[in-house]
Amino acid sequence: MRNTAKKAFALAVGIAATLAAFGGQAHSAPMPPDPGGVTPQVVGGTQAAKGEFPWMVRLSMGCGGAMYTEQLVLTAAHCVNSTGNNTSITATYGVADLQDTSAIKRTSSYVHRSPTYGTSTGGDWALIKLSSPITGASLLPIATTNAYNNGVFDVAGWGATREGGSQSRYLMKAKVDFIDDTTCKNADPYYRDLIFSAEICAGDLANGGVDTCQGDSGGPMFRRDSAGQWIQVGIVSHGNGCARPSNPGVYTEVSTFAAAIKAAADNLGGTPTPPGKTFENGTDVSIPDAGAAVYSNIAVSGLTGNAPSTLKVTVDIKHSWSGDLVIDLVAPDGSTYRLKNSSSSSTPNVNTTYTVNASSELANGTWRLKVQDVYSQDTGYIDIWKLTF
Ligand code: ARG
């Protein structure tokens, strides 16, 4: 991240920009950690709080990255040398302060470098496979359409906090504006070879002062999607210096390469939604006789993208007359999937696994089992239920 003194006067973006928290060449002493992430830094920037961008990864060659699956880090092609076995990279996860002893570290086992990087197609992206998964890691889903290639983006990284400056001990964050391809191409001769389909520009065109910089490469540029979830739209790629006016940051256009990234990930044995992840709620909920519907919630997190077309819903309900029961699965957005209608069946209990095509639903969020007893006399309770993604 980088910011300059003139940024103190910028209105839209400057207040969120970051500055030298730990620059070796900084005139001031290193800044202390700022867990709240809101204390103004030297010139109006902010440090990211621990857990604020939980999928951020620092890579030992001096790049950033984002967790794509529990075992794959998405970074920039220019951060790695070639495709193949590679045990030379250390990934640090789970901290904002690189010296935080709670950091989770993994060594790389393999690198997949985009085969189109360096060609006219572009594609500055790579996947780094970790020697073992970071189980339960937060994942950052990638944009699969260009719908989010606009607006204001967030960027974060441990890179230089000024052009030519040293790396940051603390994770820094800033907001950058989308800049359209034509404007970017014409902004400065440096950008004349911009690949419109492969690159997105962002920054403060008029004023400069806020930007990613050396060492932020490979890290994500991200924003909220229409459901309010973080989504990755870019990868820090290059720029002419850092934070100069009329010289935006250039980011890999992730949506263009989403299919290629997913295909490579599948090949590396990591799918965006780790298969077979199970979530459950075993708290009993009694079902009133011929009464209102009752609910049991399961909060799903740590997955990415949509739920599968084969979402398994395992239901264990103790009830003396199963025909009394109507059972629905309610997705995080409120969409309802009927699992079972009422019937004349006198068989007790419901102990079944239903398969639901939930592929139009985001996996993460609060899922609810809705159960209603619609005939009088018999009663029971939800004993336990599970969702397997
Ligand atoms: N290529 C740089 C790196 O390897 C990132 C440069 C980003 N520059 C910019 N002005 N946004 O770290």
Side-chain angles (χ1 to χ4, degrees), residues 1 12-13 16-17 53 55 143 145-156 173-181 199-204 210-212 219-225 230-236 248-255:
M1 299 303 102
V13 176
F53 307 121
W55 17 256
T145 76
N146 61 15
Y148 299 110
N149 295 346
N150 53 65
V152 178
F153 306 120
D154 292 271
V155 287
K173 63 174 180 178
K175 288 187 182 291
V176 288
D177 291 323
F178 171 80
I179 295 167
D180 72 80
D181 288 335
E199 297 180 307
I200 306 182
C201 299
D204 183 334
V210 55
D211 197 3
T212 46
M221 179 167 78
F222 47 97
R223 52 165 283 174
R224 300 283 185 175
D225 69 11
W230 289 123
I231 190 161
Q232 182 171 0
V233 298
I235 300 170
V236 180
V250 181
Y251 299 80
T252 313
E253 188 165 334
V254 163
S255 59

Side-chain angles (χ1 to χ4, degrees), residues 78 211-217 236-243 248-251:
H78 81 262
D211 197 3
T212 46
C213 199
Q214 269 55 40
D216 290 322
S217 275
V236 180
S237 183
H238 64 98
N240 188 24
C242 303
V250 181
Y251 299 80

Side-chain angles (χ1 to χ4, degrees), residues 337-352:
Y337 296 84
R338 177 59 46 94
L339 303 178
K340 176 194 172 305
N341 276 307
S342 59
S343 72
S344 59
S345 170
S346 65
T347 310
N349 305 330
V350 177
N351 200 335
T352 311

Side-chain angles (χ1 to χ4, degrees), residues 170-297:
Y170 301 104
L171 180 62
M172 306 301 280
K173 63 174 180 178
K175 288 187 182 291
V176 288
D177 291 323
F178 171 80
I179 295 167
D180 72 80
D181 288 335
T182 303
T183 303
C184 186
K185 183 187 173 88
N186 296 325
D188 182 277
Y190 174 90
Y191 299 88
R192 73 181 138 217
D193 296 327
L194 189 75
I195 307 173
F196 282 21
S197 59
E199 297 180 307
I200 306 182
C201 299
D204 183 334
L205 192 66
N207 306 298
V210 55
D211 197 3
T212 46
C213 199
Q214 269 55 40
D216 290 322
S217 275
M221 179 167 78
F222 47 97
R223 52 165 283 174
R224 300 283 185 175
D225 69 11
S226 55
Q229 304 292 317
W230 289 123
I231 190 161
Q232 182 171 0
V233 298
I235 300 170
V236 180
S237 183
H238 64 98
N240 188 24
C242 303
R244 303 180 187 176
S246 300
N247 285 271
V250 181
Y251 299 80
T252 313
E253 188 165 334
V254 163
S255 59
T256 297
F257 301 100
I261 293 168
K262 184 185 183 316
D266 288 347
N267 231 350
L268 292 174
T271 49
T273 298
K277 268 214 156 190
T278 297
F279 300 80
E280 63 178 57
N281 186 340
T283 303
D284 294 355
V285 178
S286 63
I287 304 164
D289 187 31
V294 294
Y295 294 86
S296 174
N297 294 358

